[in-house]
Amino acid sequence: MTARRAETATASTLCLRVEDWNGHLPGQHVDVRLTAPDGYQAARSYSLAAPAAGGVDGVLEITVQRLPDGEVSAFLTDDLVVGDRLELRGPLGNWFVWQQDDPAPVLLVAGGAGLVPLMSMIRARDRAHIPTPFRLIHSVRTPDDRIYADELERLAAQPGGPSVTWLYTRTAPQTDKRRPGRLRPNDLNDGSNWTLDAAPTCFVCGPTGFVEEASNHLLAAGHHANRIRTERFGGR
Amino acid sequence: MVNVTRGFRSRRFATDDRLPPGQYLTDGFPVLSAGPTPAVPQDEWSFMVRNGGQVLRSWAWDEFMALDAQDITVDIHCVTRWSRLDTTWRGVAVDDLLADVDTAAEYVLARSYGGYTTNLPLEDLLDGKAWIAYEHDGEDLPPEHGGPARLLIPHLYLWKSAKWIKSLDLVEDDDPGFWETLGYHDYGDPWREQRYQGD
Ligand SMILES: Cc1cc2nc3c(=O)[nH]c(=O)nc-3n(C[C@H](O)[C@H](O)[C@H](O)COP(=O)(O)OP(=O)(O)OC[C@H]3O[C@@H](n4cnc5c(N)ncnc54)[C@H](O)[C@@H]3O)c2cc1C
């Protein structure tokens, strides 16, 4: 690990330098494996948060949301220090990826840390100056739980930048007109042409329950099942 | 070569010899699917066995419910690294569904509502190793776990246990299914950690 950044009170981005990295696609993940002195091992998946920088010594970024009592996430967010070494395997997952040459507009729907692989897509689009329309809907508990918020606000303010909407489940900023709460059908079916005419490719990612709800709302809004790609992080 | 991670201590002392390498135990039932959960009402569900495009057998829901069913208690292992022990199911043994089928095929492509596919050796589906399951924990199988009915083949990683099963197609060649085309292992034995192609 070459550097770490706090994203929120409970989420951190870890920068990992890997020898012989051959690049990856936005949306892919790595498996991280921890080994205790007695040989006990624990492995979990973490999405790559940014496109590969290229070069021989690739620097990868993952963003880990600390779960209360989470075996691997708590170790990575609390105990790992710059200079420590980790075992990684990847890049993995060839389905939940955005192909940069696909002209279809992209609708991104994230719950909590489910934003991580979608952020990789947003960053790839920005770095390569790709005009494909992007829209992100990110559901979080409170404004303080937004990862990458400054960067997203900056990108959204640029001409041709992605459209970004935050939905709050517990506490919303006072200016927010939406009553805080879980995802509702009209959060995804807001009457804009994003709903259907644009026939976007939809990427939905987050805790399992969130992904189930969001993809059902998208189906109910008329999106076709084969245009909805999902990644379930676990949990409820 | 094992690289010890500085500062990492095992906290799960009860390492279970029923847990394959690289897996951890969970009490929950996580979900892995590539897309939304298809809604297949029982009265629109039917299940077929096919050979070379020809339908050999097919059952509507009521006909399937009339078949001899078994109660099954098995451990299941997902490639995303969770395992659950002693999960309970009810369903029909694939042996019974394929009884008296005469075929030279050595492989099976399982097909699902929603378009999912997965490839399996035929012999892995026989001799009491696989079922078409329609109950879990004494309840109708919920849609997100593959209801109305899914393949259950617990000795392989769970992506082989195709949810929303529609047919078993007997085929001569081991052509990769959905996840297998995307880099997952053609066989998927959790005890040999066959997660990805080349493992
Ligand atoms: C393809 C893929 C990509 C992933 N990418 C990321 C990522 O970019 N960032 C990230 O932070 N996580 C990501 N995850 C989730 C990650 O792999 C771990 O599951 C998570 O960090 C919890 O592991 P743990 O060892 O800390 O918790 P555990 O010790 O395994 O579990 C602790 C408690 O938390 C519950 N729990 C487990 N997983 C979740 C969850 N996702 N949400 C809520 N509760 C849960 C458990 O049921 C248990 O009660 C990804 C998962 C997958 C499958």
Side-chain angles (χ1 to χ4, degrees):
Chain A
M1 179 166 81
T2 54
R4 69 183 304 146
R5 280 196 301 279
E7 299 285 355
T8 66
T10 52
S12 296
T13 292
L14 317 183
C15 303
L16 308 167
R17 197 184 64 228
V18 188
E19 283 120 54
D20 300 325
W21 188 258
N22 289 319
H24 57 269
L25 299 169
Q28 288 191 302
H29 65 273
V30 291
D31 281 0
V32 173
R33 185 167 76 174
L34 310 179
T35 305
D38 62 1
Y40 170 85
Q41 294 185 320
R44 299 288 187 278
S45 302
Y46 292 96
S47 305
L48 294 161
V56 186
D57 281 355
V59 173
L60 307 180
E61 290 188 13
I62 61 173
T63 302
V64 182
Q65 172 66 49
R66 186 187 194 290
L67 293 180
D69 209 33
E71 183 177 28
V72 175
S73 64
F75 176 82
L76 294 175
T77 49
D78 298 348
D79 301 332
L80 201 72
V81 300
V82 168
D84 280 349
R85 296 169 65 87
L86 283 176
E87 276 187 299
L88 289 191
R89 175 164 192 196
L92 300 170
N94 290 309
W95 171 249
F96 196 77
V97 293
W98 175 54
Q99 304 288 352
Q100 306 196 1
D101 52 7
D102 180 351
V106 173
L107 177 59
L108 306 170
V109 184
L115 177 57
V116 179
L118 310 183
M119 193 64 188
S120 187
M121 301 177 189
I122 291 172
R123 287 169 165 162
R125 171 187 184 272
D126 180 56
R127 284 189 201 167
H129 305 289
I130 295 169
T132 304
F134 262 46
R135 181 182 190 192
L136 168 68
I137 297 171
H138 187 200
S139 169
V140 287
R141 272 189 209 159
T142 74
D144 289 341
D145 291 308
R146 297 177 304 157
I147 53 174
Y148 319 131
D150 293 347
E151 183 180 348
L152 284 169
E153 276 172 352
R154 184 174 55 73
L155 289 172
Q158 286 173 4
S163 130
V164 179
T165 306
W166 283 282
L167 306 175
Y168 301 94
T169 59
R170 289 234 182 112
T171 322
Q174 290 199 331
T175 51
D176 207 77
K177 287 198 274 308
R178 181 182 176 275
R179 179 168 46 87
R182 283 174 38 182
L183 198 65
R184 296 188 271 266
N186 63 355
D187 290 328
L188 298 179
N189 190 357
D190 60 1
S192 76
N193 67 352
W194 271 98
T195 308
L196 271 189
D197 301 349
T201 308
C202 307
F203 291 93
V204 185
C205 186
T208 300
F210 176 87
V211 172
E212 285 296 313
E213 274 178 21
S215 47
N216 285 337
H217 291 332
L218 289 172
L219 286 175
H223 291 270
H224 199 281
N226 66 16
R227 305 207 53 120
I228 306 174
R229 298 191 176 205
T230 59
E231 186 114 282
R232 291 161 173 89
F233 272 11
R236 264 182 263 278
Chain B
M1 184 192 69
V2 175
N3 292 309
V4 171
T5 317
R6 189 202 60 79
F8 182 64
R9 296 275 176 280
S10 44
R11 55 153 124 139
R12 292 180 187 176
F13 300 104
T15 43
D16 202 303
D17 59 7
R18 283 160 68 189
L19 202 56
Q23 297 292 109
Y24 66 93
L25 281 180
T26 176
D27 299 328
F29 195 167
V31 178
L32 169 72
S33 321
T37 297
V40 189
Q42 289 176 352
D43 59 8
E44 287 172 25
W45 182 89
S46 70
F47 173 72
M48 297 177 285
V49 174
R50 298 193 291 193
N51 194 6
Q54 195 198 341
V55 179
L56 301 182
R57 316 250 154 105
S58 88
W59 295 267
W61 182 257
D62 290 344
E63 295 166 331
F64 203 82
M65 290 305 112
L67 300 175
D68 279 341
Q70 300 176 1
D71 289 312
I72 310 141
T73 302
V74 289
D75 301 345
I76 54 176
H77 312 292
C78 179
V79 72
T80 59
R81 298 185 177 277
W82 56 266
S83 292
R84 289 180 66 199
L85 305 183
D86 297 323
T87 58
T88 57
W89 306 80
R90 188 169 172 79
V92 179
V94 174
D95 294 294
D96 294 343
L97 301 169
L98 296 185
D100 308 324
V101 167
D102 190 21
T103 179
E106 290 184 22
Y107 296 95
V108 170
L109 190 69
R111 290 182 182 275
S112 300
Y113 290 89
Y116 182 76
T117 56
T118 188
N119 51 311
L120 301 140
L122 175 57
E123 61 177 353
D124 281 83
L125 289 164
L126 302 176
D127 297 326
K129 294 199 290 287
W131 297 266
I132 302 295
Y134 50 78
E135 279 182 23
H136 169 63
D137 251 350
E139 310 268 346
D140 283 354
L141 187 59
E144 67 272 24
H145 293 306
R150 72 181 297 168
L151 182 61
L152 178 65
I153 177 160
H155 70 286
L156 301 178
Y157 281 125
L158 208 56
W159 90 79
K160 294 288 183 180
S161 293
K163 301 184 200 180
W164 319 296
I165 189 81
K166 183 179 184 169
S167 71
L168 294 178
D169 291 6
L170 302 163
V171 290
E172 274 166 33
D173 301 317
D174 194 18
D175 289 332
F178 178 83
W179 287 117
E180 295 83 2
T181 305
L182 291 163
Y184 285 79
H185 199 275
D186 273 320
Y187 186 62
D189 179 354
W191 294 97
R192 288 185 277 166
E193 268 208 277
Q194 292 173 334
R195 297 175 194 275
Y196 311 107
Q197 299 288 349
D199 279 350

